[in-house]
Amino acid sequence: MTMVKARVTTAELVAGRYRLVDVVQRETNRVGYYGEDMETERPCLLTQIGLPDDPSPDDRRRTTSRILRTSERMGLLRPGRVATVLNAVEESGTLWIVTEWIDGTTPLGELIAQQGMFNHVRAARIGLELLDVLEAAHVAGITHGELSPGQVFVGGDGSVMVTGFGLAGATLAPRVAAPSYASPEQARDERIGPASDLWALGAILYTMLEGRPPYRERDRPEATLKGVDRLPLRAPVRAGPLTQSVQGLLRKDSRERLSRPVVRDAFVRVLSEDPEAATEPLRHPRVRGRFPVGPTWGRRAMVAGTALAVVTVAAAVLVVTNSRSDDSGPSSAGSAPSPSASAGPPTGQAPTATPSTPPSAEATTPTPTGSAPPTASPSGTALPPGYRTYTSPDGFSVALPKGWEAVATSRAGDVAYRSFFSADGDPRKLTVTYSEALGPDPVAVWRDDVQPDLEERTGFRRIGDIKATTYQGYEAADMEWVSDKDGTRLRTFGRGFLIAEHRGYSLRWTTPEDDWDDPENQEALDVILRTFRVPED
């Protein structure tokens, strides 16, 4: 594995002329910035992509010239639907692609992160626009090869602008960015063609309709690619009349995927059945300025197999669904927030205090006679000695053991974060995760979104069933499991709960399995569950 660190700040100019202003979209190994050309004083879009280590001067020249040449050709084939590339520059192993600023549009990835699942009419509108661009490319003998939500910009009228043409084949990597949208043949580093773009179209449709990609981003790109190649497709449940199209586009064998005419007919049929919805303007969130540029934005380059180098931006996690956390705590800070929650008691034993009434209804425990007044919990309930209340900058609060503090936080913009808590020398860990893109059933979130990732861990075994419950008046679910980490057998209890539609938290409590039943451990777990409070609206 090769580790590469790079930092970009607003004080730096890319290629000596482009100033970075805001981050507008992010994917694994791809970050898009709103920028300014200091020479022309015009806005521009800069896309930062990590390249395989130490490209030679010839490799750099071939990469940049291919991107410029292919983009220019596609711009002539589909004017107004392919972003014009103004410049392509390689600096210190990083590729910067400068395109015209696409005013009035929003990256599709950010629309999905902000709004969750799309209805099938809206998905068909965007899908048909994408298909038109791909058809023009394929007829001209051009394969995109890097299509993902981060390469699609959507206008308020449903029109799309596509970026990224020319990147595939410009390096030795089978997929430079967004490995969860790679086709199985790309994952195997085989020759690709139009069928690979149709797979990516199917994956984008799946993500729009289901609110998550068909294959999760793992914490290692090679693991993501292995999943795309080998794991069965999770059947879509919200695709409605587009179900057969999505499944037909996501067939592992490229020869069996649906053809463009068949997919086009399906899109047109959906749009014709609801013409009013098909022409309704799309409402977009404000994107520019959501993610400030600063010195905390870094990257890690990881080589997969013999040629794939994928860079992950620190804290640039794929929002809602894909990635797993590490029970070890701060070492997992760079992994993507998983959409569910954790903390808990032994198998078959309920936490000793899990109130189902709102905080305002809880009584205050009197201070024991002759002892110093203990710290008050968030709800006013007295805490045992040795605990203090921690209030997060994100608004939640919880009582922690003495000496504990927040050791790391990873973020996915404004829609998800994960905070890790522990103390020096203490093997126990608490992880708090928040997400705004959850499904409606907490049990299903654990079962379908979290457990598949956990199953890749050494020694993973779930303890008992996933149990539906309530927590402070919210719908919740508990899951408990064991796994191995650095030679230690760990036990984790997770509680996930929904506080509103698509919004929720998870609390994970992890200790060495041998220490699970210790009274001190059980007391800490009880206090955490009893005192955790969500931010006040």
Side-chain angles (χ1 to χ4, degrees):
M1 178 184 296
T2 301
M3 300 297 290
V4 178
K5 294 182 180 179
R7 297 184 183 276
V8 178
T9 73
T10 54
E12 299 176 8
L13 294 181
V14 176
R17 64 181 286 185
Y18 303 107
R19 184 173 68 90
L20 305 180
V21 180
D22 294 326
V23 176
V24 296
Q25 62 94 11
R26 300 174 294 183
E27 289 179 321
T28 301
N29 197 37
R30 181 187 291 124
V31 188
Y33 296 86
Y34 173 82
E36 181 182 5
D37 185 338
M38 302 301 289
E39 293 186 7
T40 64
E41 298 184 350
R42 294 175 63 88
C44 57
L45 173 70
L46 293 101
T47 303
Q48 180 188 24
I49 301 169
L51 293 175
D53 289 342
D54 300 322
S56 68
D58 287 344
D59 290 337
R60 298 169 190 163
R61 188 164 48 252
R62 281 193 295 268
T63 296
T64 55
S65 63
R66 179 187 177 96
I67 291 168
L68 290 168
R69 185 174 63 253
T70 307
S71 172
E72 181 180 9
R73 190 177 175 195
M74 281 302 306
L76 294 173
L77 292 172
R78 275 293 181 269
R81 291 294 178 262
V82 177
T84 300
V85 176
L86 306 173
N87 203 351
V89 182
E90 187 277 335
E91 290 186 339
S92 303
T94 296
L95 176 65
W96 293 93
I97 302 175
V98 185
T99 61
E100 61 181 357
W101 176 250
I102 312 168
D103 200 21
T105 66
T106 303
L108 178 58
E110 296 306 319
L111 285 176
I112 295 170
Q114 285 281 339
Q115 302 178 17
M117 296 162 287
F118 291 10
N119 63 54
H120 58 269
V121 176
R122 187 179 187 190
R125 288 172 65 186
I126 295 173
L128 186 59
E129 290 272 340
L130 276 175
L131 190 64
D132 284 339
V133 175
L134 292 177
E135 185 169 26
H138 296 167
V139 170
I142 298 172
T143 297
H144 190 293
E146 288 286 333
L147 195 63
S148 67
Q151 299 284 39
V152 179
F153 290 74
V154 184
D157 60 353
S159 63
V160 304
M161 181 83 77
V162 182
T163 66
F165 277 102
L167 189 57
T171 74
L172 295 176
R175 178 85 181 194
V176 176
S180 62
Y181 292 89
S183 65
E185 55 269 25
Q186 277 181 297
R188 297 189 295 268
D189 200 7
E190 296 175 354
R191 185 180 180 87
I192 65 171
S196 296
D197 285 345
L198 292 177
W199 170 282
L201 174 61
I204 291 172
L205 280 174
Y206 187 107
T207 304
M208 288 191 289
L209 294 162
E210 301 294 308
R212 61 189 181 191
Y215 294 93
R216 298 282 185 217
E217 288 278 358
R218 313 295 177 175
D219 55 0
R220 294 174 294 112
E222 59 267 33
T224 303
L225 294 172
K226 182 183 291 185
V228 170
D229 182 27
R230 301 181 183 180
L231 294 178
L233 176 69
R234 288 181 290 184
V237 296
R238 302 179 180 92
L242 291 174
T243 298
Q244 290 185 343
S245 298
V246 171
Q247 292 176 323
L249 288 168
L250 294 177
R251 290 172 181 163
K252 298 281 190 180
D253 189 334
S254 61
R255 296 167 298 183
E256 297 178 355
R257 286 175 205 149
L258 296 182
S259 64
R260 291 192 306 267
V262 172
V263 177
R264 178 181 295 277
D265 287 346
F267 289 155
V268 171
R269 185 163 54 251
V270 168
L271 295 174
S272 64
E273 290 175 356
D274 195 346
E276 292 186 4
T279 58
E280 181 182 350
L282 303 181
R283 294 186 299 274
H284 288 196
R286 177 180 179 269
V287 174
R288 187 172 73 80
R290 279 187 57 210
F291 308 120
V293 178
T296 57
W297 296 102
R299 63 186 180 96
R300 297 181 298 166
M302 295 176 282
V303 179
T306 60
L308 176 63
V310 177
V311 176
T312 55
V313 178
V317 290
L318 262 143
V319 169
V320 285
T321 54
N322 48 355
S323 266
R324 56 184 184 176
S325 70
D326 188 326
D327 284 340
S328 63
S331 64
S332 63
S335 63
S338 145
S340 132
S342 318
T347 308
Q349 176 182 333
T352 54
T354 53
S356 58
T357 54
S360 59
E362 295 181 2
T364 301
T365 304
T367 302
T369 304
S371 62
T375 304
S377 74
S379 64
T381 305
L383 298 175
Y387 288 82
R388 67 177 181 84
T389 297
Y390 168 84
T391 301
S392 164
D394 293 295
F396 70 82
S397 59
V398 64
L400 299 172
K402 183 179 180 180
W404 277 50
E405 59 184 10
V407 295
T409 297
S410 61
R411 297 186 181 278
D414 297 335
V415 296
Y417 61 80
R418 171 172 287 153
S419 298
F420 305 90
F421 301 87
S422 191
D424 289 343
D426 194 328
R428 301 173 299 172
K429 312 291 178 185
L430 170 67
T431 306
V432 177
T433 302
Y434 170 77
S435 175
E436 293 184 3
L438 299 174
D441 181 0
V443 172
V445 172
W446 281 115
R447 183 190 64 231
D448 299 336
D449 296 338
V450 179
Q451 182 167 323
D453 293 331
L454 294 174
E455 288 172 345
E456 294 186 4
R457 297 184 181 180
T458 303
F460 169 80
R461 177 174 59 85
R462 195 179 77 196
I463 300 174
D465 296 328
I466 302 172
K467 299 177 181 178
T469 185
T470 57
Y471 180 58
Q472 299 181 6
Y474 301 117
E475 288 186 65
D478 295 345
M479 188 172 89
E480 189 176 351
W481 65 91
V482 292
S483 60
D484 297 329
K485 175 71 174 179
D486 297 331
T488 300
R489 189 69 166 167
L490 301 175
R491 184 163 174 172
T492 300
F493 173 86
R495 169 160 293 171
F497 59 100
L498 299 174
I499 62 172
E501 186 177 8
H502 303 307
R503 296 171 54 212
Y505 284 86
S506 81
L507 310 173
R508 285 189 199 189
W509 178 252
T510 300
T511 75
E513 187 178 31
D514 292 343
D515 300 338
W516 184 259
D517 292 324
D518 289 354
E520 182 181 0
N521 177 57
Q522 291 301 305
E523 178 187 66
L525 174 58
D526 171 56
V527 171
I528 287 167
L529 290 174
R530 177 161 49 88
T531 61
F532 183 82
R533 293 294 177 268
V534 302
E536 295 183 3
D537 293 331

PDB file of all heavy atoms in Angstrom, residues 57-78:
ATOM      1  N   PRO A  57       6.844  11.801 -17.511  1.00  0.00           N
ATOM      2  CA  PRO A  57       6.426  12.954 -18.337  1.00  0.00           C
ATOM      3  C   PRO A  57       5.572  12.544 -19.530  1.00  0.00           C
ATOM      4  O   PRO A  57       4.623  13.245 -19.883  1.00  0.00           O
ATOM      5  CB  PRO A  57       7.766  13.561 -18.768  1.00  0.00           C
ATOM      6  CG  PRO A  57       8.725  13.187 -17.671  1.00  0.00           C
ATOM      7  CD  PRO A  57       8.296  11.815 -17.233  1.00  0.00           C
ATOM      8  N   ASP A  58       5.890  11.413 -20.151  1.00  0.00           N
ATOM      9  CA  ASP A  58       5.077  10.953 -21.277  1.00  0.00           C
ATOM     10  C   ASP A  58       3.676  10.576 -20.833  1.00  0.00           C
ATOM     11  O   ASP A  58       2.691  10.856 -21.527  1.00  0.00           O
ATOM     12  CB  ASP A  58       5.751   9.756 -21.952  1.00  0.00           C
ATOM     13  CG  ASP A  58       6.983  10.163 -22.752  1.00  0.00           C
ATOM     14  OD1 ASP A  58       7.133  11.361 -23.040  1.00  0.00           O
ATOM     15  OD2 ASP A  58       7.793   9.275 -23.070  1.00  0.00           O
ATOM     16  N   ASP A  59       3.582   9.912 -19.663  1.00  0.00           N
ATOM     17  CA  ASP A  59       2.270   9.535 -19.136  1.00  0.00           C
ATOM     18  C   ASP A  59       1.434  10.780 -18.841  1.00  0.00           C
ATOM     19  O   ASP A  59       0.229  10.819 -19.127  1.00  0.00           O
ATOM     20  CB  ASP A  59       2.415   8.702 -17.868  1.00  0.00           C
ATOM     21  CG  ASP A  59       2.972   7.320 -18.140  1.00  0.00           C
ATOM     22  OD1 ASP A  59       2.831   6.850 -19.292  1.00  0.00           O
ATOM     23  OD2 ASP A  59       3.551   6.717 -17.215  1.00  0.00           O
ATOM     24  N   ARG A  60       2.056  11.779 -18.263  1.00  0.00           N
ATOM     25  CA  ARG A  60       1.331  13.018 -17.956  1.00  0.00           C
ATOM     26  C   ARG A  60       0.802  13.667 -19.239  1.00  0.00           C
ATOM     27  O   ARG A  60      -0.340  14.123 -19.296  1.00  0.00           O
ATOM     28  CB  ARG A  60       2.251  14.001 -17.239  1.00  0.00           C
ATOM     29  CG  ARG A  60       2.782  13.536 -15.900  1.00  0.00           C
ATOM     30  CD  ARG A  60       3.882  14.456 -15.430  1.00  0.00           C
ATOM     31  NE  ARG A  60       4.575  13.925 -14.267  1.00  0.00           N
ATOM     32  CZ  ARG A  60       5.755  14.353 -13.845  1.00  0.00           C
ATOM     33  NH1 ARG A  60       6.362  15.334 -14.488  1.00  0.00           N
ATOM     34  NH2 ARG A  60       6.328  13.810 -12.787  1.00  0.00           N
ATOM     35  N   ARG A  61       1.661  13.723 -20.236  1.00  0.00           N
ATOM     36  CA  ARG A  61       1.270  14.354 -21.497  1.00  0.00           C
ATOM     37  C   ARG A  61       0.135  13.590 -22.170  1.00  0.00           C
ATOM     38  O   ARG A  61      -0.818  14.186 -22.669  1.00  0.00           O
ATOM     39  CB  ARG A  61       2.493  14.421 -22.416  1.00  0.00           C
ATOM     40  CG  ARG A  61       2.273  15.224 -23.676  1.00  0.00           C
ATOM     41  CD  ARG A  61       3.590  15.593 -24.342  1.00  0.00           C
ATOM     42  NE  ARG A  61       4.478  14.456 -24.471  1.00  0.00           N
ATOM     43  CZ  ARG A  61       5.596  14.277 -23.737  1.00  0.00           C
ATOM     44  NH1 ARG A  61       5.929  15.172 -22.832  1.00  0.00           N
ATOM     45  NH2 ARG A  61       6.364  13.211 -23.927  1.00  0.00           N
ATOM     46  N   ARG A  62       0.226  12.248 -22.158  1.00  0.00           N
ATOM     47  CA  ARG A  62      -0.839  11.447 -22.770  1.00  0.00           C
ATOM     48  C   ARG A  62      -2.154  11.614 -22.020  1.00  0.00           C
ATOM     49  O   ARG A  62      -3.225  11.696 -22.629  1.00  0.00           O
ATOM     50  CB  ARG A  62      -0.424   9.974 -22.802  1.00  0.00           C
ATOM     51  CG  ARG A  62       0.534   9.620 -23.930  1.00  0.00           C
ATOM     52  CD  ARG A  62       0.626   8.115 -24.085  1.00  0.00           C
ATOM     53  NE  ARG A  62       1.219   7.476 -22.915  1.00  0.00           N
ATOM     54  CZ  ARG A  62       2.518   7.228 -22.786  1.00  0.00           C
ATOM     55  NH1 ARG A  62       3.364   7.562 -23.749  1.00  0.00           N
ATOM     56  NH2 ARG A  62       2.972   6.633 -21.706  1.00  0.00           N
ATOM     57  N   THR A  63      -2.063  11.646 -20.697  1.00  0.00           N
ATOM     58  CA  THR A  63      -3.275  11.780 -19.886  1.00  0.00           C
ATOM     59  C   THR A  63      -3.984  13.092 -20.174  1.00  0.00           C
ATOM     60  O   THR A  63      -5.187  13.123 -20.453  1.00  0.00           O
ATOM     61  CB  THR A  63      -2.929  11.690 -18.390  1.00  0.00           C
ATOM     62  OG1 THR A  63      -2.398  10.399 -18.097  1.00  0.00           O
ATOM     63  CG2 THR A  63      -4.163  11.943 -17.527  1.00  0.00           C
ATOM     64  N   THR A  64      -3.273  14.191 -20.100  1.00  0.00           N
ATOM     65  CA  THR A  64      -3.910  15.498 -20.288  1.00  0.00           C
ATOM     66  C   THR A  64      -4.390  15.689 -21.729  1.00  0.00           C
ATOM     67  O   THR A  64      -5.480  16.232 -21.955  1.00  0.00           O
ATOM     68  CB  THR A  64      -2.945  16.625 -19.891  1.00  0.00           C
ATOM     69  OG1 THR A  64      -1.718  16.483 -20.627  1.00  0.00           O
ATOM     70  CG2 THR A  64      -2.632  16.554 -18.401  1.00  0.00           C
ATOM     71  N   SER A  65      -3.600  15.251 -22.703  1.00  0.00           N
ATOM     72  CA  SER A  65      -4.009  15.443 -24.101  1.00  0.00           C
ATOM     73  C   SER A  65      -5.223  14.593 -24.435  1.00  0.00           C
ATOM     74  O   SER A  65      -6.113  15.027 -25.193  1.00  0.00           O
ATOM     75  CB  SER A  65      -2.855  15.117 -25.046  1.00  0.00           C
ATOM     76  OG  SER A  65      -2.478  13.757 -24.952  1.00  0.00           O
ATOM     77  N   ARG A  66      -5.304  13.382 -23.881  1.00  0.00           N
ATOM     78  CA  ARG A  66      -6.468  12.520 -24.140  1.00  0.00           C
ATOM     79  C   ARG A  66      -7.738  13.160 -23.590  1.00  0.00           C
ATOM     80  O   ARG A  66      -8.784  13.144 -24.232  1.00  0.00           O
ATOM     81  CB  ARG A  66      -6.244  11.138 -23.526  1.00  0.00           C
ATOM     82  CG  ARG A  66      -7.414  10.179 -23.739  1.00  0.00           C
ATOM     83  CD  ARG A  66      -7.217   8.897 -22.964  1.00  0.00           C
ATOM     84  NE  ARG A  66      -8.356   8.010 -23.094  1.00  0.00           N
ATOM     85  CZ  ARG A  66      -8.449   7.015 -23.963  1.00  0.00           C
ATOM     86  NH1 ARG A  66      -7.446   6.777 -24.800  1.00  0.00           N
ATOM     87  NH2 ARG A  66      -9.525   6.252 -24.005  1.00  0.00           N
ATOM     88  N   ILE A  67      -7.645  13.712 -22.396  1.00  0.00           N
ATOM     89  CA  ILE A  67      -8.817  14.336 -21.783  1.00  0.00           C
ATOM     90  C   ILE A  67      -9.277  15.537 -22.612  1.00  0.00           C
ATOM     91  O   ILE A  67     -10.463  15.701 -22.903  1.00  0.00           O
ATOM     92  CB  ILE A  67      -8.491  14.754 -20.335  1.00  0.00           C
ATOM     93  CG1 ILE A  67      -8.322  13.504 -19.459  1.00  0.00           C
ATOM     94  CG2 ILE A  67      -9.583  15.658 -19.769  1.00  0.00           C
ATOM     95  CD1 ILE A  67      -7.729  13.794 -18.105  1.00  0.00           C
ATOM     96  N   LEU A  68      -8.349  16.385 -23.002  1.00  0.00           N
ATOM     97  CA  LEU A  68      -8.705  17.564 -23.783  1.00  0.00           C
ATOM     98  C   LEU A  68      -9.287  17.167 -25.139  1.00  0.00           C
ATOM     99  O   LEU A  68     -10.293  17.728 -25.585  1.00  0.00           O
ATOM    100  CB  LEU A  68      -7.463  18.442 -23.974  1.00  0.00           C
ATOM    101  CG  LEU A  68      -6.944  19.156 -22.718  1.00  0.00           C
ATOM    102  CD1 LEU A  68      -5.557  19.730 -22.977  1.00  0.00           C
ATOM    103  CD2 LEU A  68      -7.906  20.256 -22.291  1.00  0.00           C
ATOM    104  N   ARG A  69      -8.674  16.195 -25.780  1.00  0.00           N
ATOM    105  CA  ARG A  69      -9.112  15.790 -27.117  1.00  0.00           C
ATOM    106  C   ARG A  69     -10.499  15.143 -27.080  1.00  0.00           C
ATOM    107  O   ARG A  69     -11.384  15.482 -27.882  1.00  0.00           O
ATOM    108  CB  ARG A  69      -8.094  14.811 -27.699  1.00  0.00           C
ATOM    109  CG  ARG A  69      -8.372  14.414 -29.142  1.00  0.00           C
ATOM    110  CD  ARG A  69      -7.240  13.555 -29.691  1.00  0.00           C
ATOM    111  NE  ARG A  69      -7.101  12.289 -28.987  1.00  0.00           N
ATOM    112  CZ  ARG A  69      -6.105  12.013 -28.139  1.00  0.00           C
ATOM    113  NH1 ARG A  69      -5.171  12.916 -27.886  1.00  0.00           N
ATOM    114  NH2 ARG A  69      -6.047  10.835 -27.541  1.00  0.00           N
ATOM    115  N   THR A  70     -10.714  14.228 -26.123  1.00  0.00           N
ATOM    116  CA  THR A  70     -12.002  13.531 -26.042  1.00  0.00           C
ATOM    117  C   THR A  70     -13.117  14.487 -25.640  1.00  0.00           C
ATOM    118  O   THR A  70     -14.228  14.412 -26.166  1.00  0.00           O
ATOM    119  CB  THR A  70     -11.915  12.365 -25.043  1.00  0.00           C
ATOM    120  OG1 THR A  70     -10.804  11.536 -25.372  1.00  0.00           O
ATOM    121  CG2 THR A  70     -13.190  11.537 -25.063  1.00  0.00           C
ATOM    122  N   SER A  71     -12.828  15.375 -24.705  1.00  0.00           N
ATOM    123  CA  SER A  71     -13.843  16.344 -24.279  1.00  0.00           C
ATOM    124  C   SER A  71     -14.253  17.250 -25.434  1.00  0.00           C
ATOM    125  O   SER A  71     -15.441  17.536 -25.624  1.00  0.00           O
ATOM    126  CB  SER A  71     -13.306  17.168 -23.116  1.00  0.00           C
ATOM    127  OG  SER A  71     -14.188  18.220 -22.804  1.00  0.00           O
ATOM    128  N   GLU A  72     -13.264  17.712 -26.196  1.00  0.00           N
ATOM    129  CA  GLU A  72     -13.580  18.582 -27.334  1.00  0.00           C
ATOM    130  C   GLU A  72     -14.456  17.853 -28.349  1.00  0.00           C
ATOM    131  O   GLU A  72     -15.429  18.414 -28.872  1.00  0.00           O
ATOM    132  CB  GLU A  72     -12.292  19.045 -28.005  1.00  0.00           C
ATOM    133  CG  GLU A  72     -12.523  19.984 -29.183  1.00  0.00           C
ATOM    134  CD  GLU A  72     -11.229  20.434 -29.823  1.00  0.00           C
ATOM    135  OE1 GLU A  72     -10.166  19.887 -29.462  1.00  0.00           O
ATOM    136  OE2 GLU A  72     -11.265  21.336 -30.678  1.00  0.00           O
ATOM    137  N   ARG A  73     -14.134  16.597 -28.593  1.00  0.00           N
ATOM    138  CA  ARG A  73     -14.923  15.811 -29.550  1.00  0.00           C
ATOM    139  C   ARG A  73     -16.343  15.616 -29.062  1.00  0.00           C
ATOM    140  O   ARG A  73     -17.309  15.765 -29.828  1.00  0.00           O
ATOM    141  CB  ARG A  73     -14.234  14.465 -29.773  1.00  0.00           C
ATOM    142  CG  ARG A  73     -14.824  13.648 -30.912  1.00  0.00           C
ATOM    143  CD  ARG A  73     -14.045  12.388 -31.088  1.00  0.00           C
ATOM    144  NE  ARG A  73     -14.649  11.512 -32.084  1.00  0.00           N
ATOM    145  CZ  ARG A  73     -14.340  10.234 -32.231  1.00  0.00           C
ATOM    146  NH1 ARG A  73     -13.419   9.689 -31.455  1.00  0.00           N
ATOM    147  NH2 ARG A  73     -14.952   9.507 -33.162  1.00  0.00           N
ATOM    148  N   MET A  74     -16.492  15.297 -27.777  1.00  0.00           N
ATOM    149  CA  MET A  74     -17.840  15.087 -27.230  1.00  0.00           C
ATOM    150  C   MET A  74     -18.626  16.396 -27.212  1.00  0.00           C
ATOM    151  O   MET A  74     -19.838  16.396 -27.405  1.00  0.00           O
ATOM    152  CB  MET A  74     -17.749  14.516 -25.814  1.00  0.00           C
ATOM    153  CG  MET A  74     -17.465  13.031 -25.763  1.00  0.00           C
ATOM    154  SD  MET A  74     -18.701  12.050 -26.647  1.00  0.00           S
ATOM    155  CE  MET A  74     -20.230  12.597 -25.897  1.00  0.00           C
ATOM    156  N   GLY A  75     -17.943  17.515 -26.978  1.00  0.00           N
ATOM    157  CA  GLY A  75     -18.634  18.803 -27.000  1.00  0.00           C
ATOM    158  C   GLY A  75     -19.239  19.114 -28.354  1.00  0.00           C
ATOM    159  O   GLY A  75     -20.296  19.746 -28.440  1.00  0.00           O
ATOM    160  N   LEU A  76     -18.577  18.658 -29.407  1.00  0.00           N
ATOM    161  CA  LEU A  76     -19.118  18.854 -30.747  1.00  0.00           C
ATOM    162  C   LEU A  76     -20.291  17.925 -31.017  1.00  0.00           C
ATOM    163  O   LEU A  76     -21.240  18.285 -31.722  1.00  0.00           O
ATOM    164  CB  LEU A  76     -18.014  18.621 -31.788  1.00  0.00           C
ATOM    165  CG  LEU A  76     -16.855  19.626 -31.779  1.00  0.00           C
ATOM    166  CD1 LEU A  76     -15.761  19.177 -32.735  1.00  0.00           C
ATOM    167  CD2 LEU A  76     -17.347  21.019 -32.138  1.00  0.00           C
ATOM    168  N   LEU A  77     -20.238  16.715 -30.428  1.00  0.00           N
ATOM    169  CA  LEU A  77     -21.313  15.747 -30.649  1.00  0.00           C
ATOM    170  C   LEU A  77     -22.570  16.091 -29.852  1.00  0.00           C
ATOM    171  O   LEU A  77     -23.687  15.885 -30.327  1.00  0.00           O
ATOM    172  CB  LEU A  77     -20.830  14.340 -30.253  1.00  0.00           C
ATOM    173  CG  LEU A  77     -19.741  13.720 -31.130  1.00  0.00           C
ATOM    174  CD1 LEU A  77     -19.231  12.428 -30.505  1.00  0.00           C
ATOM    175  CD2 LEU A  77     -20.280  13.454 -32.538  1.00  0.00           C
ATOM    176  N   ARG A  78     -22.389  16.571 -28.649  1.00  0.00           N
ATOM    177  CA  ARG A  78     -23.529  16.909 -27.794  1.00  0.00           C
ATOM    178  C   ARG A  78     -23.298  18.272 -27.145  1.00  0.00           C
ATOM    179  O   ARG A  78     -23.054  18.378 -25.945  1.00  0.00           O
ATOM    180  CB  ARG A  78     -23.737  15.830 -26.720  1.00  0.00           C
ATOM    181  CG  ARG A  78     -24.567  14.643 -27.175  1.00  0.00           C
ATOM    182  CD  ARG A  78     -26.012  15.055 -27.445  1.00  0.00           C
ATOM    183  NE  ARG A  78     -26.845  13.930 -27.859  1.00  0.00           N
ATOM    184  CZ  ARG A  78     -27.040  13.566 -29.111  1.00  0.00           C
ATOM    185  NH1 ARG A  78     -26.425  14.231 -30.090  1.00  0.00           N
ATOM    186  NH2 ARG A  78     -27.825  12.558 -29.413  1.00  0.00           N
TER     187      ARG A  78
END
